[in-house]
């Protein structure tokens, strides 16, 4: 049994090392993917933990020291995996989690040292931490996924985490029900079965996070293709897609929508006078105000230059569309302080076109809104301090 355990230890060491290497490559290729660095460190710690067991076993003896080193590495590894899942799923680092980690990791190391001679208590602590941490990691990976495609992309990683948690939970039950410490020796069948599960599901975990990273990278590229690089608003490609979708919804439901085109008065003068950097800053501020204005069901994007477009759903009457235009002007207009001590008094021109009134095709609506926007041109105020 001892030889089998050593063989499984080195196999698991190799699997964890290869996992760490694969995650390191993923991290180097795509630095914007949050959480991958923590996953890599977790895999590296697990590899070192089982390498300790192998090295000590090859030396012909095992004891309290290797148990301490193994547990002192593997328990923090579980926290790193969980932290990686939280960051990957969009939960940025927080002071609370950082303080919890700073408290838990030293506590785990101290407990591993204190329990190094007590196999039963050591298993109860280690396997409880592993089962709870990995189970939580699996939940985080699939919690509130936005689409069925996203759920499928994260499911292999989550399932592998759940299976690892289950394996540790089973050994915890065995250790908890054991009558003496000898019954929970390291070469007991439950531990050997756990090693096999660790090898199998750590490979599944590595494949799973690779799939999750591929999906996230692909989504990021698609987002960039549909997002204006300066303002972060949807670009013309995404605007065309959204308008086409709104037109089909209106034809199906009979509920109309308003298309509003707007631009910033005297923007070219501001750009020429203050410089392109200040002009870009102004557009970013306008985009931020526009995000605050639109409802969740509505849509705003940048056509190009200082021209923006707003899609307001469930608008049927001219008076309702005009009311939205006036609210838009109130929300966006007002003084803006720019870098370099410049001040710009924002005013906008906007034109509204209604589906079913000014046309039913996207081209007709854009043309009508564009003409009304230019007829709406007011005076402007441009000054510096």
């Amino acid at each position: 049994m001892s030889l089998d355990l050593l063989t499984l230890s080195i196999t698991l060491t190799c699997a964890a090392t290869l996992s760490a290497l694969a995650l390191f490559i993923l991290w180097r290729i795509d630095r914007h993917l949050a959480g991958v660095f923590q996953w890599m460190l977790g895999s590296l710690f697990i590899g070192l933990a089982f390498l300790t067991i192998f090295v000590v076993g090859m030396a012909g003896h095992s004891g309290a020291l290797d148990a301490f080193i193994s547990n002192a590495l593997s328990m923090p590894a579980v926290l790193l995996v969980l932290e990686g899942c939280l960051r990957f799923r969009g939960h940025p680092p927080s002071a609370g989690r950082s303080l919890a980690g700073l408290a838990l990791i030293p506590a785990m190391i101290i407990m591993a040292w204190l329990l190094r001679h007590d196999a039963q208590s050591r298993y109860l602590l280690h396997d409880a931490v592993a089962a709870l941490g990995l189970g939580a990691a699996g939940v985080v990976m699939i919690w509130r996924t936005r689409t069925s495609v996203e759920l499928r992309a994260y499911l292999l990683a989550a399932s592998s985490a759940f299976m690892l948690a289950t394996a540790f939970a089973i050994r915890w039950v065995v250790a908890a029900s054991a009558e003496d410490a000898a019954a929970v020796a390291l070469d007991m069948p439950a531990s050997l079965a756990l090693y096999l599960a660790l090898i199998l599901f750590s490979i599944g975990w590595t494949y799973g996070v690779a799939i999750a990273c591929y999906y996230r990278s692909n989504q990021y590229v698609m987002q960039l293709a549909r997002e204006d690089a300066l303002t972060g608003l949807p670009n013309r490609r995404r605007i065309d897609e959204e308008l086409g979708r709104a037109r089909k919804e209106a034809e199906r439901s009979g509920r109309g929508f308003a298309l509003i085109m707007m631009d910033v008065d005297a923007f070219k003068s501001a750009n020429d006078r203050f410089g392109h950097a200040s002009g870009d800053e102004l557009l970013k501020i306008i985009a931020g105000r526009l995000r605050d204005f639109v409802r969740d069901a509505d849509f705003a994007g940048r056509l190009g230059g200082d021209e923006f477009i707003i899609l307001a759903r469930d608008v049927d009457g001219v008076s309702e569309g005009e009311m939205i235009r006036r609210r838009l002007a109130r929300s966006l207009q007002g003084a803006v302080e720019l870098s370099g001590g410049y001040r710009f008094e924002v005013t906008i021109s906007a034109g509204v076109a209604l589906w079913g009134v000014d046309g039913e095709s996207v081209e007709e609506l854009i043309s009508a809104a564009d003409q009304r926007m230019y007829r709406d041109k007011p005076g402007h105020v441009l000054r510096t301090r």
Side-chain angles (χ1 to χ4, degrees):
M1 296 293 284
S2 178
L3 179 61
D4 291 340
L5 183 61
L6 292 178
T7 302
L8 291 174
S9 296
I10 193 59
T11 303
L12 185 52
T13 301
C14 293
T17 304
L18 288 174
S19 177
L21 179 60
L23 291 169
F24 175 76
I25 294 171
L26 279 174
W27 175 66
R28 292 291 296 179
I29 290 174
D30 212 341
R31 292 290 188 92
H32 83 273
L33 287 173
V36 178
F37 180 73
Q38 285 71 29
W39 288 338
M40 178 194 69
L41 287 181
S43 295
L44 183 61
F45 280 17
I46 291 171
L48 291 173
F50 285 95
L51 180 62
T52 300
I53 296 174
F54 172 74
V55 170
V56 172
M58 289 296 292
H61 59 83
S62 61
L65 182 60
D66 67 297
F68 161 69
I69 295 174
S70 176
N71 287 358
L73 287 169
S74 59
M75 285 192 291
V78 172
L79 294 185
L80 285 169
V81 169
L82 178 56
E83 176 66 20
C85 292
L86 288 167
R87 296 192 185 191
F88 184 80
R89 289 304 315 281
H91 301 279
S94 66
R97 290 212 312 273
S98 297
L99 289 174
L102 289 174
L104 283 173
I105 291 176
M108 289 176 177
I109 294 174
I110 292 171
M111 290 300 296
W113 175 258
L114 294 176
L115 299 177
R116 66 191 186 279
H117 295 295
D118 186 344
Q120 187 172 22
S121 298
R122 192 170 67 238
Y123 284 135
L124 290 174
L125 172 66
H126 177 276
D127 293 353
V129 169
L132 292 173
L134 292 170
V139 171
V140 169
M141 285 300 293
I142 58 174
W143 181 256
R144 292 184 177 177
T145 48
R146 290 167 292 184
T147 65
S148 59
V149 175
E150 184 179 35
L151 175 61
R152 290 196 296 271
Y154 299 160
L155 195 56
L156 179 57
S159 299
S160 298
F162 287 140
M163 295 305 294
L164 287 168
T166 301
F168 279 111
I170 291 172
R171 194 175 70 166
W172 186 93
V173 171
V174 172
S177 60
E179 295 181 357
D180 53 52
V184 289
L186 195 59
D187 61 347
M188 68 177 182
S191 287
L192 295 176
L194 175 64
Y195 273 46
L196 290 172
L198 286 173
I199 293 169
L200 176 61
F201 295 118
S202 65
I203 294 172
W205 166 258
T206 305
Y207 276 115
V209 297
I211 293 170
C213 290
Y214 172 78
Y215 172 80
R216 180 64 65 81
S217 296
N218 190 50
Q219 291 297 106
Y220 181 70
V221 171
M222 291 177 65
Q223 179 183 353
L224 289 180
R226 292 168 169 78
E227 185 178 278
D228 176 59
L230 177 64
T231 64
L233 290 173
N235 61 14
R236 181 59 189 263
R237 178 177 177 180
R238 174 75 187 282
I239 289 170
D240 290 340
E241 292 174 354
E242 194 69 23
L243 291 178
R245 188 179 299 112
R247 182 179 62 82
K248 291 179 180 178
E249 290 173 357
E251 290 174 348
R252 186 169 54 250
S253 66
R255 293 286 295 168
F257 62 88
L259 178 66
I260 305 172
M261 287 189 64
M262 56 146 286
D263 67 4
V264 182
D265 297 323
F267 175 75
K268 186 177 184 303
S269 299
N271 213 26
D272 293 341
R273 188 169 182 177
F274 301 150
H276 291 292
S278 294
D280 289 348
E281 184 183 1
L282 175 60
L283 290 176
K284 292 178 183 178
I285 294 172
I286 295 295
R289 291 180 178 181
L290 197 53
R291 286 191 192 91
D292 293 336
F293 171 77
V294 296
R295 302 172 302 176
D296 290 341
D298 296 339
F299 175 85
R302 184 189 179 199
L303 285 171
D306 65 324
E307 289 190 336
F308 298 85
I309 198 164
I310 299 94
L311 170 67
R313 289 181 166 85
D314 295 332
V315 178
D316 294 316
V318 174
S319 60
E320 189 178 354
E322 186 60 25
M323 182 178 64
I324 294 173
R325 189 192 69 81
R326 289 195 297 268
R327 285 198 297 107
L328 174 68
R330 288 196 299 269
S331 298
L332 268 60
Q333 293 179 160
V336 171
E337 303 290 338
L338 301 173
S339 300
Y342 300 121
R343 178 185 175 87
F344 182 72
E345 192 73 29
V346 175
T347 62
I348 68 164
S349 298
V352 183
L354 298 177
W355 180 85
V357 176
D358 299 299
E360 295 190 354
S361 71
V362 171
E363 293 76 14
E364 289 173 329
L365 294 174
I366 289 178
S367 177
D370 186 57
Q371 292 175 20
R372 288 169 185 164
M373 179 183 69
Y374 281 99
R375 287 202 297 267
D376 185 54
K377 284 290 180 185
H380 61 266
V381 179
L382 175 63
R383 64 178 182 271
T384 62
R385 288 177 179 171

